[in-house]
Amino acid sequence: MSFLRPTLFRIPVKPASLVAPATVALVTALLILIPFERSNGDTSGVISFLVSFLTFVAIYAIFTLGLNVQWGYSGVFNFGVLGFFMLGAYTAAIVTKQPASGNFTDYIGGFGGDLDLLPWLSSDEWLPHLVGLAAAAGVAGLAALLLAVPTLRLRGDYLAIATIGVAEVLRRVVIEETWLVNGTRGLTGVPRPLGGLVDSSDYKYLLLAICGTFLVLIYLLIERAIRSPWGRVLMALREDEMATEASGKNVFAFKMQSFVMGAAIMGAGGAIYAYASSSLTPEVFTHFFATFLFWAMLILGGSGNNRGAIVGAYVLWGFWTITLQFQSYDLPDLVETRMPYVRELVLGTLIVAVLLVRPAGLLPQRRQVSVWVERQLKRRPPSPSGSSGADVELSSR
Amino acid sequence: MIVLFFVWAVIDRRDAVMIGIVEGSILALGAVGLTLVYGVLKFAHFAHGDSMMLSAYCAFLLLSGVVTGSRPGVDAEVLPITVSDLPAASSEIWKFSFGYGLLIAMALSALLIAGVLVLLDRLVYRRLRRRNSGIVIFSIASLGLAIAIRSLVLIVWGPTPRKYTTVVRQNIHLPFDTTILADQLFIIAAAITVTALAYVLLFRTKLGKAMRAMADNPELARISGIKTELVIVLTWALAGALVAVAGVLLALQAQLDPQLGFVLLLPLFAAAILGGVGNPQGAFFGGMIVGVVQAVVVTFDFLSPGYKFSVAFVILILILLIRPRGLFGAKL
């Protein structure tokens, strides 16, 4: 019931910590300097490197935001991001692609040609993609709904185990059922949104703009939802489920909604990933890449803070890309073959270290009440005495 | 219906049932450790599967001394002294594919993994406990540790699957027209022995009583004078030893594969939840049931063997839907 206490009517003070800006600055500097050095000062090479880097940061930030809705805001515990990622990516791919043809391809669907419904604005360039995106979000949300019915009423960790299970089953289905989405051969040639509008050498800028737009839209959507009465119930039940239930809220329904909303966002992220990378193979979809990475991003960035989730995605994917750059240097054989695993080790220990040392992450969660209260505060600022450092970590979970 | 399934399986798919019992006894060992941690510390230990793989690799290191991944053209680095250097350590006992060296390696890696889990508790979980973190934070920390353990195994030994020996394994004929590998007989016997030891420790000693009291009500246990931190250390040690033996036996049955650890969580948790969380006997039978069902179901024509762990997931969902307290009730 902490949200009813009058102390909340203080304006959150900006964090004094310099850790977050310093980390971001360090990663940014390395991201510019290393490719600059490698390409011997070729600026255009550095720019195209940064553009593709930012594109993937935007995509991964969408997953981290989806996870933030589930874990950060409502304490719902999903270790199977991979499952919703795959559902979204493959759904979007089979919606937008042409039907299967040829000897070595076999997959269901392929509605790309049938979706050219509008006669204007060259709708074949974007309408199938929007339909695919909606279908991806819908399928992932539906899967979350089905999974939540048996598990969400039980202990939180049962849901986590069940989500690992869903992810593993889906991974097996994609590999074993070759008729479904072409098995291990994967799907290639997923059509790119608005691909015919610009020169192929400039397409990367457009792609960045598209991914960035979706990231901003999803960010605004979540921010708005979280500041609504609905969002306040979520945060209340994360802090104290029993008190929330005692105030007459249907805890199960709220948890369910946030789980489904997060999963749908992950599904949409999967669709955008499919459009951006244009080919999907099951080898990419490992538990490590598609689940742990996003957890590490969220924990590092600060769970319960959407900006933190985005910063976490930026910093970690930056770290990832920088270590990939190291591989182009002449390293000893012993180190070079182990680079990928060293990265994983850093990631695993990072999760533990952040939980121990800085549980709130780089950008700690701000106390936020509602749009209405914030508006009142702007009109009538409270007395400054005793209200410093009100940026409280809500870590008593 | 479950009983009918097992009767049919024993009649129709006897070989698969045997394999299922072998794999089930390995799962049972892991699940007993998991359920102990679950019962005493109240959180889902997601590093359990990876601890199992770590133990299998520790025994591999002790036996072969290989410390780097060998690739074509590069010889593996080998430690100067290994367990296999003991006199006649690798000469095969009876019809088994291993000598007493493996038993020593198994015991040593049980000690080692018990130590590792206790150390991780001191370094990580105790600090979280002191901060009164929620159980979910513990689970996320254990996920981070699972990633770290797995990547350590990959750094040291590389991703190629390995085996303890390449000796041809011998069959044994059992009554009722079944054959079984001698090694598999050893796996079942070892699993039952180790579980029996754990049972005695839990239900016939004061320490076990303290552990059960703590699982029942930590606050009451503390004010009754039970040294809760000591009980926690011993719980980790016991769980570590159990999971270590399970890991070595698993490597004996199949092969060492660093990627397997995380996926193993599915049958392990299915077994623990099937038996009732915090219930060691339940976890043992849960492990057996999951092992047999997995092995039998993948013999169906329409399912490829790749779905083995998916079967565990289906069992898990069914038990959560029908009887979330488990078949034998949640109790330690």
Side-chain angles (χ1 to χ4, degrees), chain B residues 10-290:
Chain B
V10 168
I11 295 167
D12 198 53
R13 306 278 159 105
R14 211 168 291 144
D15 289 336
V17 170
M18 278 322 290
I19 294 173
I21 292 176
V22 173
E23 288 173 353
S25 51
I26 297 169
L27 289 178
L29 273 183
V32 171
L34 187 66
T35 217
L36 280 176
V37 176
Y38 227 143
V40 173
L41 289 124
K42 312 286 178 216
F43 79 92
H45 182 223
F46 285 98
H48 214 67
D50 288 291
S51 311
M52 202 156 152
M53 286 327 291
L54 179 67
S55 134
Y57 273 95
C58 281
F60 176 72
L61 171 72
L62 290 166
L63 278 175
S64 68
V66 174
V67 282
T68 56
S70 59
R71 281 168 301 121
V74 185
D75 282 332
E77 305 283 327
V78 177
L79 290 185
I81 309 167
T82 66
V83 175
S84 308
D85 292 339
L86 293 169
S90 318
S91 62
E92 292 151 35
I93 306 172
W94 192 48
K95 290 179 173 174
F96 300 137
S97 68
F98 50 85
Y100 73 88
L102 184 94
L103 298 179
I104 295 178
M106 191 158 86
L108 285 178
S109 69
L111 281 176
L112 213 69
I113 300 301
V116 167
L117 289 190
V118 170
L119 186 74
L120 289 178
D121 180 71
R122 301 287 91 175
L123 287 176
V124 179
Y125 302 121
R126 185 167 66 168
R127 296 185 188 194
L128 294 176
R129 271 201 299 282
R130 288 206 175 140
R131 210 185 282 158
N132 280 328
S133 302
I135 52 162
V136 187
I137 299 289
F138 285 88
S139 290
I140 296 174
S142 74
L143 180 76
L145 290 175
I147 303 170
I149 292 173
R150 192 183 80 134
S151 53
L152 267 180
V153 168
L154 280 163
I155 287 173
V156 179
W157 292 284
T160 1
R162 291 163 186 280
K163 285 186 167 183
Y164 287 152
T165 58
T166 47
V167 180
V168 180
R169 295 164 181 231
Q170 296 190 47
N171 276 319
I172 299 179
H173 293 280
L174 293 180
F176 306 112
D177 190 29
T178 45
T179 48
I180 185 174
L181 292 173
D183 285 1
Q184 295 179 330
L185 203 63
F186 170 78
I187 292 171
I188 299 174
I192 291 175
T193 316
V194 173
T195 320
L197 286 176
Y199 180 84
V200 170
L201 186 71
L202 273 174
F203 291 92
R204 295 284 180 273
T205 66
K206 225 171 175 177
L207 175 70
K209 211 174 192 177
M211 226 181 250
R212 287 181 287 136
M214 185 131 163
D216 210 33
N217 188 336
E219 283 308 309
L220 192 62
R222 200 196 323 273
I223 55 169
S224 317
I226 293 172
K227 295 192 177 72
T228 51
E229 279 297 314
L230 182 72
V231 172
I232 286 174
V233 166
L234 288 165
T235 306
W236 280 114
L238 182 58
L242 287 171
V243 83
V245 173
V248 177
L249 296 179
L250 177 73
L252 203 60
Q253 156 72 8
Q255 53 186 3
L256 296 132
D257 179 2
Q259 318 284 350
L260 199 59
F262 190 68
V263 184
L264 266 176
L265 285 178
L266 282 180
L268 286 177
F269 273 109
I273 294 173
L274 188 66
V277 163
N279 180 339
Q281 298 107 306
F284 184 80
F285 292 112
M288 286 290 186
I289 293 171
V290 171

Side-chain angles (χ1 to χ4, degrees), chain A residues 6-14 377 381-392:
Chain A
T7 50
L8 277 179
F9 286 82
R10 292 171 185 166
I11 298 176
V13 179
K14 286 224 162 116
L377 279 169
S383 62
S385 61
S387 63
S388 64
D391 198 332
V392 183

Side-chain angles (χ1 to χ4, degrees), chain A residues 80-87 90 163-178 180-184 281-291, chain B residues 150 257 259-264 266 304 306-307 309-310 313:
Chain A
V81 182
L82 166 66
F84 304 109
F85 188 166
M86 286 181 93
L87 273 178
Y90 278 105
T163 52
I164 296 178
V166 166
E168 176 60 19
V169 170
L170 283 173
R171 212 169 69 87
R172 291 313 319 177
V173 167
V174 166
I175 293 172
E176 305 282 347
E177 308 298 326
T178 45
L180 189 66
V181 285
N182 213 17
T184 44
T281 49
E283 288 100 79
V284 176
F285 296 106
T286 59
H287 291 281
F288 181 82
F289 165 72
T291 300
Chain B
R150 192 183 80 134
D257 179 2
Q259 318 284 350
L260 199 59
F262 190 68
V263 184
L264 266 176
L266 282 180
S304 112
Y307 284 118
F309 296 115
S310 313
F313 169 68

Side-chain angles (χ1 to χ4, degrees), chain A residues 113-282:
Chain A
D114 305 333
L115 287 167
D116 184 14
L117 299 171
L118 302 176
W120 61 87
L121 287 175
S122 52
S123 67
D124 55 323
E125 295 283 358
W126 52 271
L127 192 60
H129 297 90
L130 280 185
V131 175
L133 187 82
V139 169
L142 189 69
L145 189 75
L146 291 177
L147 187 65
V149 170
T151 52
L152 208 54
R153 278 183 204 275
L154 305 166
R155 293 178 48 151
D157 33 18
Y158 286 8
L159 178 73
I161 300 158
T163 52
I164 296 178
V166 166
E168 176 60 19
V169 170
L170 283 173
R171 212 169 69 87
R172 291 313 319 177
V173 167
V174 166
I175 293 172
E176 305 282 347
E177 308 298 326
T178 45
W179 54 270
L180 189 66
V181 285
N182 213 17
T184 44
R185 281 194 294 268
L187 294 179
T188 52
V190 179
R192 308 192 121 179
L194 305 176
L197 290 191
V198 292
D199 202 39
S200 63
S201 62
D202 290 332
Y203 184 72
K204 53 181 184 284
Y205 301 108
L206 183 62
L207 189 63
L208 175 61
I210 293 170
C211 296
T213 311
F214 275 104
L215 174 63
V216 170
L217 284 179
I218 288 170
Y219 171 81
L220 292 176
L221 172 82
I222 298 173
E223 282 285 304
R224 187 66 196 85
I226 284 310
R227 278 157 208 273
S228 70
W230 180 78
R232 287 202 298 284
V233 175
L234 287 190
M235 285 190 275
L237 78 87
R238 181 198 63 194
E239 295 301 317
D240 193 338
E241 206 168 308
M242 243 189 262
T244 316
E245 193 145 33
S247 8
K249 303 293 178 192
N250 184 345
V251 166
F252 177 68
F254 277 97
K255 275 177 147 180
M256 172 85 98
Q257 287 155 11
S258 107
F259 183 58
V260 170
M261 178 178 168
I265 290 171
M266 289 169 193
I272 295 168
Y273 176 86
Y275 300 152
S277 64
S278 144
S279 71
L280 302 172
T281 49

